[in-house]
Amino acid sequence: MKINPAVLNRQDAHALFVGAILPRPIAFVSTIGKDGIYNIAPFSFFTGMSTKPAVVGFGVGCRRDGTKKDTLVNIEYTKDYVINLVHEGLAEAMNQAAGEYPSHVDEFKVAGLTPVKSDLVKSPRVAESPVNMECRLMQILEFGQSPNLNSFIVGEVVVVHVQEESWVDGVIKATQVKAIGRLGEDLYCRTKDIFEMKRPRV
Ligand SMILES: Cc1cc2nc3c(=O)[nH]c(=O)nc-3n(C[C@H](O)[C@H](O)[C@H](O)COP(=O)(O)O)c2cc1C
């Protein structure tokens, strides 16, 4: 089977991508709108981009009707956001927050999450998440055009909060964090089946 993604419609191209790039980490992105309403939504087109400076990026597509998602609108306005790690206990809340709610809806309330004031950014962080990264917007890369506009949001991580129980011997312990990952279709994975491999010393 050979597929040219350029000839696929948006849905089929998306299905192809999420089947081919996996498992993906989930950035649970919290923001605040210009009217002070809290917003949160999951994004799995998410990656680290640089360690020093600490830079992360995630991709936001358009809504089904071609309009911008609230996360993008809020980040364009405040120039900041928080990326919260999703563990097993947050899976249901994350899924609730993925609904396309109107911008006046407080999605922390919808998902039953507790907003905490951030140290350096206006956007709130999630109390229930084991790791929160406060980010300042650096740039937005755009691909395609509305209704197929994709915005890749690049930001500098200015503070990382780690819950005590996840911080063991000076590192974030995967066995404590219990992150979940995104696969294709409506599938997810846990990080229970972990193995170790030392790299060759050459
Ligand atoms: C696990 C998961 C991962 C998702 N990843 C993305 C993504 O990478 N990019 C995207 O645009 N939407 C993604 N979505 C869909 C958004 O979360 C959804 O469109 C949400 O309503 C956006 O909310 P907002 O309008 O409050 O920003 C994902 C949904 C789920 C459940």
Side-chain angles (χ1 to χ4, degrees), residues 5-163:
V7 303
L8 299 178
N9 66 32
R10 177 171 151 184
Q11 267 180 333
D12 290 345
H14 184 261
L16 179 68
F17 246 38
V18 297
I21 306 172
L22 77 171
R24 298 183 304 288
I26 302 169
F28 202 14
V29 181
S30 45
T31 55
I32 185 169
K34 66 174 187 305
D35 39 14
I37 294 177
Y38 292 156
N39 192 79
I40 184 155
F43 295 89
S44 67
F45 281 17
F46 166 48
T47 190
M49 300 179 73
S50 159
T51 45
K52 203 164 174 65
V55 180
V56 290
F58 69 98
V60 184
C62 284
R63 286 180 184 244
R64 274 180 291 251
D65 64 5
T67 58
K68 287 183 181 178
K69 297 189 179 183
D70 292 333
T71 300
L72 176 61
V73 173
N74 292 352
I75 292 172
E76 284 177 336
Y77 180 74
T78 62
K79 312 276 189 273
D80 70 45
Y81 51 99
V82 179
I83 293 182
N84 307 277
L85 193 146
V86 182
H87 65 36
E88 288 176 28
L90 279 173
E92 195 52 49
M94 181 227 47
N95 200 35
Q96 284 298 322
E100 288 196 355
Y101 305 99
S103 52
H104 63 80
V105 172
D106 179 336
E107 292 176 9
F108 272 76
K109 286 201 178 121
V110 170
L113 296 167
T114 314
V116 181
K117 201 174 171 332
S118 291
D119 288 7
L120 297 180
V121 302
K122 294 178 273 308
S123 299
R125 60 191 181 94
V126 175
E128 292 82 359
S129 174
V131 180
N132 322 105
M133 294 187 277
E134 295 186 23
C135 300
R136 281 210 188 101
L137 177 64
M138 297 173 82
Q139 52 178 298
I140 299 179
L141 307 174
E142 292 190 344
F143 305 98
Q145 286 174 342
S146 178
N148 292 318
L149 177 67
N150 292 272
S151 306
F152 194 77
I153 299 180
V154 179
E156 179 170 10
V157 180
V158 289
V159 193
V160 181
H161 302 262
V162 184
Q163 280 180 356

